[in-house]
Amino acid sequence: MSRTETGSRERIVDATLVLLRRGGLAASGVNSVVAEGKAPKGSVYHYFPGGKTDIVIAALQRNRDITAASLQAHLGSSHPLARRIKAVFKDLAARMSRDGFTSSCAIGAVALDIGADETALRDACAAVMTQWIELVAECLPEFPANKRRAAAEFFISLVEGAQLAARARKTASPIANAEEAFLLYAKAVLG
Amino acid sequence: MSRTETGSRERIVDATLVLLRRGGLAASGVNSVVAEGKAPKGSVYHYFPGGKTDIVIAALQRNRDITAASLQAHLGSSHPLARRIKAVFKDLAARMSRDGFTSSCAIGAVALDIGADETALRDACAAVMTQWIELVAECLPEFPANKRRAAAEFFISLVEGAQLAARARKTASPIANAEEAFLLYAKAVLG
């Protein structure tokens, strides 16, 4: 694939991710993707013959990779636990504040939008969340081995819930609150 | 207003709430509401001259009232804290399991779908979340007065995040995990 072709596919996926973060599944129709990505409509069907479902899955996987890299950088560092946790929430608050709390996690938005028959999309959301949980569990070596997965599962639910609350209330307050809550939880588990 | 008229308005609001819980903002168009609520299209505009935004706000307020009554019943009882918290999460897990994890909180779904210019909907979501936080704070008398609001804010974020994760992963596991996490948090705060 030539550099231009790769660039065009990437632009479509990036545009879809922006739209999903802002408005969920309904906001990411092919026409909106074409407009947001400044890509020819033909190229959308060239790269994604399956149409919207395929594009959305590619965007969810892009979301997965971006978030995984960020979690690895902040939570996977060698700093003490409190500092690592704070780095994740600080980054999240900064990102959400920057665009006035108008955009959040695409996995979260899609998870709450998917119909009962949209199995491929739900499976994609489930797979991303499971991968994040496994990554976070690996980044929490302070926790006893048999409590790492529960801590990671809690962490991911909390990060999703805090984003949702921050978005609804247009304030970073739920993110600061979540950071504090996770550290108190860690204190109870680690003693 | 006659009993029939009240019934018709209620049916429209109930139908909208069902649709929002399942598929967010995009799923609750007037045509879908008419089909789901078996209401004449004219009656929708009769009761809600402002159209979709007005209907959605009424449905969000219905969601607020149903959840507030449930929180009050479970969390506002005179049982010990752990039993009250478990009652909330048990009820949530039962409700989500019953429909195969295909429906969740309407406030959450709308919060992640609203565009930057949909101020009335965002304000409605923010108001509901604030009211829930205040209610939960009142239901946590075990917490020191200056920590009740933070605990309530955390509780609401966690309940939203756990629903989102349960929905994405099609399992009640994130709900059981959230219950355990909240109780560990409480242990750290209350000593």
Side-chain angles (χ1 to χ4, degrees):
Chain A
M1 208 183 276
S2 77
R3 190 175 299 181
T4 321
E5 280 179 324
T6 314
S8 183
R9 187 187 185 281
E10 295 225 329
R11 225 164 50 233
I12 294 165
V13 175
D14 285 343
T16 307
L17 181 52
V18 166
L19 295 167
L20 288 172
R21 285 189 192 278
R22 271 191 218 143
L25 216 42
S28 63
V30 170
N31 288 333
S32 306
V33 168
V34 164
E36 176 72 26
K38 297 182 178 60
K41 196 162 183 171
S43 72
V44 173
Y45 290 103
H46 171 71
Y47 293 113
F48 301 97
K52 184 171 169 176
T53 300
D54 283 4
I55 307 173
V56 169
I57 289 174
L60 294 176
Q61 289 167 345
R62 174 73 52 91
N63 191 157
R64 173 196 66 198
D65 296 342
I66 293 169
T67 300
S70 168
L71 285 170
Q72 187 67 58
H74 294 309
L75 212 54
S77 80
S78 57
H79 294 302
L81 180 66
R83 183 162 164 189
R84 300 193 329 263
I85 294 293
K86 283 177 185 175
V88 175
F89 286 102
K90 191 181 165 190
D91 180 55
L92 184 58
R95 272 187 293 120
M96 290 194 73
S97 303
R98 204 147 48 222
D99 69 6
F101 302 94
T102 56
S103 120
S104 44
C105 173
I107 312 295
V110 173
L112 301 187
D113 281 344
I114 35 175
D117 55 344
E118 293 177 292
T119 317
L121 290 178
R122 169 127 72 154
D123 288 351
C125 289
V128 173
M129 294 200 91
T130 303
Q131 285 170 282
W132 284 345
I133 289 168
E134 284 163 5
L135 171 63
V136 170
E138 282 169 21
C139 292
L140 296 174
E142 291 90 346
F143 283 70
N146 66 348
K147 293 183 176 169
R148 259 174 230 160
R149 191 174 165 102
E153 197 173 339
F154 167 50
F155 184 84
I156 294 299
S157 292
L158 186 56
V159 166
E160 290 292 342
Q163 283 182 79
L164 188 157
R167 183 103 185 250
R169 296 172 51 208
K170 211 175 178 169
T171 162
S173 155
I175 299 173
N177 171 270
E179 172 191 304
E180 199 188 351
F182 189 85
L183 292 174
L184 283 163
Y185 162 89
K187 194 178 148 194
V189 176
L190 304 180
Chain B
M1 209 181 274
S2 76
R3 191 175 297 179
T4 321
E5 278 178 324
T6 314
S8 184
R9 187 186 185 281
E10 295 225 329
R11 226 165 47 234
I12 294 165
V13 175
D14 286 342
T16 308
L17 181 51
V18 166
L19 296 167
L20 288 172
R21 287 189 192 276
R22 271 192 218 142
L25 216 42
S28 63
V30 170
N31 289 333
S32 306
V33 168
V34 163
E36 176 73 26
K38 297 181 180 59
K41 196 163 184 172
S43 73
V44 173
Y45 290 105
H46 171 69
Y47 292 113
F48 301 98
K52 182 170 170 175
T53 300
D54 284 3
I55 307 173
V56 169
I57 289 175
L60 295 176
Q61 289 167 345
R62 175 74 52 94
N63 191 155
R64 173 196 64 197
D65 296 341
I66 293 169
T67 301
S70 169
L71 286 170
Q72 187 67 57
H74 294 309
L75 212 54
S77 80
S78 57
H79 294 301
L81 180 66
R83 182 161 164 191
R84 294 182 347 252
I85 294 293
K86 283 177 185 174
V88 175
F89 285 102
K90 191 182 164 191
D91 180 56
L92 185 58
R95 271 188 294 120
M96 291 194 74
S97 303
R98 204 146 48 221
D99 69 5
F101 302 95
T102 55
S103 122
S104 44
C105 174
I107 313 296
V110 172
L112 301 187
D113 281 345
I114 35 176
D117 55 344
E118 292 176 294
T119 317
L121 290 179
R122 169 127 71 154
D123 288 351
C125 288
V128 174
M129 294 200 90
T130 303
Q131 285 170 283
W132 285 344
I133 289 169
E134 283 163 7
L135 171 62
V136 170
E138 282 169 21
C139 292
L140 296 174
E142 291 90 346
F143 283 71
N146 67 347
K147 291 182 177 169
R148 260 173 230 160
R149 193 178 164 97
E153 196 172 338
F154 166 50
F155 184 84
I156 295 299
S157 293
L158 185 57
V159 166
E160 290 292 342
Q163 283 181 79
L164 188 157
R167 182 104 186 250
R169 296 172 53 210
K170 212 175 178 170
T171 162
S173 153
I175 299 174
N177 170 272
E179 173 191 303
E180 197 189 353
F182 188 86
L183 291 175
L184 284 163
Y185 162 89
K187 192 177 151 192
V189 175
L190 304 179

